[in-house]
């Protein structure tokens, strides 16, 4: 809301878009709470709106890049899975204009999973907790044997989320 407040006086068209995207985010959050699975297409639409809000807030300090071909996949993930990973990256890493936090969302070579990767720029003050990773793993566990893979290199933090096939319609 602080971002919106400052936009109203500075850039009215951008403020209007911000309100539209914020409404999409809240509408999705309300609907997603009642579901245990979401289509990847719905998650990507949500992420686009959520990314707009974050990129407006952080400016050149944050970039969220989504592989365009992901929109072609007919799969599902737990609701808010991508938001959890974006929030985790922001929570644990510095966002600086001269060294932006870059969060990439793409698929694995075989297309069976999503890869969410961010460059490591650890904040000097470490926060407690895992930023929702344990809850995300629990959501996947409830949906079957679909392990979430987390690994860290010297330059990147990488999470691999299995794509869930859509249930067969009877």
């Amino acid at each position: 809301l602080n971002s919106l407040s400052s936009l109203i006086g500075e850039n009215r068209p951008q403020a209007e878009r911000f309100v539209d995207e914020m409404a999409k985010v809240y509408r999705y959050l309300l609907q997603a709470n009642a579901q245990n699975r979401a289509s990847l297409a719905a998650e990507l639409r949500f992420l686009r709106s959520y990314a707009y809000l974050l990129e407006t807030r952080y400016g050149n300090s944050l970039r969220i890049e989504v592989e365009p071909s992901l929109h072609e996949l007919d799969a599902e993930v737990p609701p808010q899975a991508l938001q959890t990973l974006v929030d985790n990256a922001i929570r644990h890493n510095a966002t600086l204009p001269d060294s932006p936090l870059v969060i990439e969302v793409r698929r694995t070579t075989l297309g069976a999973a999503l890869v969410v990767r961010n460059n490591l720029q650890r904040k000097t003050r470490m926060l407690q907790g895992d930023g929702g990773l344990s809850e995300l793993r629990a959501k996947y566990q409830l949906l079957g044997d679909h392990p979430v893979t987390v690994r860290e290199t010297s330059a990147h933090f990488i999470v691999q989320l299995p794509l869930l096939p859509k249930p067969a319609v009877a």
Side-chain angles (χ1 to χ4, degrees), residues 103-120:
I103 303 168
E104 303 168 331
V105 182
R106 57 184 171 80
R107 66 175 148 176
T108 57
T109 308
L110 299 176
L114 291 179
V115 174
V116 180
R117 180 177 90 156
N118 63 271
N119 53 322
L120 280 179

Side-chain angles (χ1 to χ4, degrees), residues 79-89 131-133 135-136 139:
Q80 302 165 328
L82 297 175
Q83 176 196 11
T84 298
L85 297 178
V86 167
D87 289 346
N88 186 63
L133 285 175
E135 288 134 20
L136 186 57
K139 285 181 181 181

Side-chain angles (χ1 to χ4, degrees), residues 12-88:
R12 190 169 184 87
Q14 189 177 12
E16 289 174 4
R17 180 169 178 209
F18 190 91
V19 169
D20 290 343
E21 298 299 335
M22 190 164 63
K24 290 176 187 175
V25 164
Y26 282 108
R27 191 175 309 116
Y28 183 80
L29 292 173
L30 290 171
Q31 293 169 350
N33 281 336
Q35 309 293 323
N36 62 0
R37 294 167 71 121
S39 74
L40 180 58
E43 273 287 294
L44 291 169
R45 282 191 303 274
F46 166 71
L47 181 60
R48 184 174 37 242
S49 293
Y50 191 59
Y52 179 82
L53 300 179
L54 293 171
E55 289 170 344
T56 300
R57 177 179 178 197
Y58 291 102
N60 295 334
S61 301
L62 174 68
R63 282 197 335 253
I64 299 173
E65 302 172 351
V66 179
E67 180 183 324
S69 67
L70 290 180
H71 298 278
E72 303 164 6
L73 298 176
D74 190 27
E76 295 181 331
V77 294
Q80 302 165 328
L82 297 175
Q83 176 196 11
T84 298
L85 297 178
V86 167
D87 289 346
N88 186 63

Side-chain angles (χ1 to χ4, degrees), residues 34 60 96 99 126 137 139 152 163 166:
N60 295 334
L96 307 166
S99 183
M126 294 301 293
R137 283 182 162 136
K139 285 181 181 181
E152 188 174 314
L163 288 171
K166 288 192 173 182

